[in-house]
Amino acid sequence: MRPWHARLAGRVSLDGLNALAEEAGVRTASGCAVRFVPPAAADPYYEIKVFETGCVQTRPESLHDLFNALAWLAFPRTKARINAMHAAEIPREQGRRGRLRDLLTIFDEGGAIVCAPPQLAELVRSFRWKELFWERREETLRSMKLHVLGHAILEQALDPRQGITCKVIFAPEGADAGADPDLHAEAWLRALPPQATPRDMPPLPIFGYPGWLAASASADFYDDERYFRPLRAIK
């Protein structure tokens, strides 16, 4: 998202965000042009209204809303697919939110796309954090790229701390770090079965990525199971 934020040149406004969205041709899955508009009253059918009108309620002074707008610019296919799936599910739920929409919300707020070779992806899936971030540190730095979609995670990352964790999906096996994360995430969402739940996305403690926190320079940092939880601890 950094290039899009840079183009705002420090002047965050709805007009500025809308100019970027118009230039990029950002649209919902229904074909509506995405436009960032002032907030209105809370609405349980927010996602349906976005799908039907393209209007995304945004407070430009809110970092949370700003990162959401930047996510629409940086991951337009993925954001449109998340919105379309919400809009399709809401009428079916009869007022009881389902697990698929839980997954969509968690990915939207706290998700990331991991582009990495299969051997590193397997370390994430098996919660082998010290091996990933310390023992194979150079390989991880060289070969793993994390594309953070979740706007809540990006807001949290402005005040880095232990415990910041994403739920992740993976680019197809064999994809390199330069693969298009937006295309991969959209395809992954399209392929989800109706019974999908948040458990279909493994966690990744992104604060452990080498160099993000000064403490990551020590091997002992990765021994703290309060944060780097082993697979057996997740139920």
Side-chain angles (χ1 to χ4, degrees), residues 16-160:
L17 291 167
N18 283 326
L20 293 177
E22 183 175 3
E23 177 187 325
V26 181
R27 294 187 174 274
T28 65
S30 62
C32 296
V34 168
R35 293 294 176 264
F36 303 105
V37 301
D43 187 345
Y45 300 107
Y46 166 84
E47 295 287 357
I48 292 177
K49 289 188 175 178
V50 172
F51 182 77
E52 293 178 343
T53 68
C55 294
V56 178
Q57 295 179 27
T58 304
R59 300 161 296 173
E61 72 281 3
S62 163
L63 288 173
H64 189 85
D65 288 8
L66 171 61
F67 282 126
N68 182 54
L70 292 173
W72 272 102
L73 296 170
F75 302 95
R77 299 176 185 87
T78 303
K79 291 288 284 185
R81 179 51 41 195
I82 290 171
N83 169 245
M85 293 172 72
H86 273 298
E89 285 298 306
I90 289 171
R92 300 171 186 157
E93 292 179 334
Q94 300 181 335
R96 298 185 63 182
R97 184 186 181 95
R99 294 294 279 157
L100 176 57
R101 285 192 63 220
D102 287 343
L103 178 153
L104 295 171
T105 300
I106 290 171
F107 187 54
D108 192 24
E109 296 273 351
I113 303 105
V114 176
C115 292
Q119 63 272 21
L120 295 184
E122 180 54 31
L123 295 182
V124 176
R125 292 189 179 98
S126 55
F127 293 35
R128 289 148 64 188
W129 309 123
K130 190 168 186 178
E131 185 176 351
L132 175 70
F133 290 136
W134 183 259
E135 296 167 12
R136 300 177 71 165
R137 192 179 190 87
E138 294 305 318
E139 183 182 0
T140 294
L141 286 167
R142 182 177 63 253
S143 303
M144 173 181 279
K145 190 166 186 179
L146 309 178
H147 302 273
V148 179
L149 166 78
H151 49 283
I153 290 291
L154 289 165
E155 183 182 12
Q156 292 175 33
L158 295 176
D159 183 20

